[in-house]
């Protein structure tokens, strides 16, 4: 049994949803991991993680549009320390996830046929986002 913790960094360009499945799989290969659990934690309060369909990009467009509808920029929020998109970004993170736990078996992530791992950037500024990769297994 072993435990490994690695930090992964991703550059975002404004509000976007980016698939990070390949980067996670590449790290699994580089670390020669076989089977166990992987926990991914994003270390920010204005972006999030999700497992979602990766076969049709219109799903991601609809998710982004929906989040913008329920947490719009044009509201009169009390919290706007870092700009008009500050509080909407926090609300979107509240409604999504900052941690994912995934299974690894025989060196492969256990995901559905059309599933991928995504980072959702809720801010309009370019950012460097850090994701902690925590593995427990063999």
């Amino acid at each position: 049994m072993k435990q490994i913790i690695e930090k992964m960094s991703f550059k975002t360009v404004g509000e976007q949803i980016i698939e990070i499945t390949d980067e996670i799989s590449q790290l699994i290969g580089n670390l020669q991991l076989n089977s166990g659990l992987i926990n991914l934690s994003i270390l920010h309060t204005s972006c999030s993680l999700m497992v979602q369909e990766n076969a049709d990009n219109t799903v991601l467009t609809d998710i982004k549009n929906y989040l913008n509808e329920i947490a719009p920029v044009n509201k009169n929020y009390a919290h706007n320390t870092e700009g008009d998109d500050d509080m909407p970004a926090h609300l979107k993170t509240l409604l999504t996830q900052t941690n994912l736990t995934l299974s690894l078996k025989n060196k492969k992530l256990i995901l559905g046929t059309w599933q991928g791992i995504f980072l959702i950037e809720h801010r309009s500024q370019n950012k460097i986002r850090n994701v902690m990769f925590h593995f427990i297994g063999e």
Side-chain angles (χ1 to χ4, degrees):
M1 187 69 78
K2 62 182 165 183
Q3 183 170 194
I4 298 172
I5 299 174
E6 295 281 334
K7 181 171 86 170
M8 305 178 74
S9 296
F10 300 92
K11 182 177 182 180
T12 63
V13 181
E15 189 177 345
Q16 67 179 142
I17 301 174
I18 57 173
E19 185 168 6
I20 61 172
T21 312
D22 289 344
E23 290 84 349
I24 303 296
S25 295
Q26 184 177 6
L27 183 58
I28 289 166
N30 291 346
L31 295 172
Q32 300 179 351
L33 305 179
N34 186 29
S35 297
L37 292 176
I38 295 167
N39 181 266
L40 301 174
S41 298
I42 197 152
L43 303 179
H44 309 277
T45 60
S46 57
C47 60
S48 49
L49 299 170
M50 72 175 173
V51 172
Q52 193 50 258
E53 179 173 334
N54 66 354
D56 183 348
N57 283 338
T58 60
V59 170
L60 304 179
T61 299
D62 288 340
I63 289 169
K64 184 177 168 185
N65 291 340
Y66 176 75
L67 289 171
N68 285 331
E69 267 183 47
I70 59 176
V73 171
N74 60 358
K75 285 223 167 191
N76 190 20
Y77 299 107
H79 177 74
N80 62 3
T81 305
E82 295 179 24
D84 290 344
D85 68 340
D86 196 0
M87 191 60 211
H90 292 294
L91 292 173
K92 292 170 188 176
T93 300
L94 171 74
L95 297 170
T96 53
Q97 302 172 74
T98 56
N99 291 277
L100 297 174
T101 300
L102 304 161
S103 296
L104 180 68
K105 184 177 180 183
N106 299 326
K107 302 178 184 176
K108 300 267 187 202
L109 281 170
I110 299 177
L111 289 169
T113 303
W114 309 114
Q115 288 184 323
I117 305 164
F118 295 86
L119 186 156
I120 314 170
E121 177 59 70
H122 302 301
R123 299 300 306 271
S124 59
Q125 300 88 0
N126 298 349
K127 301 282 186 181
I128 301 294
R129 299 304 195 170
N130 296 309
V131 175
M132 294 308 294
F133 173 99
H134 188 163
F135 172 80
I136 299 173
E138 55 186 47

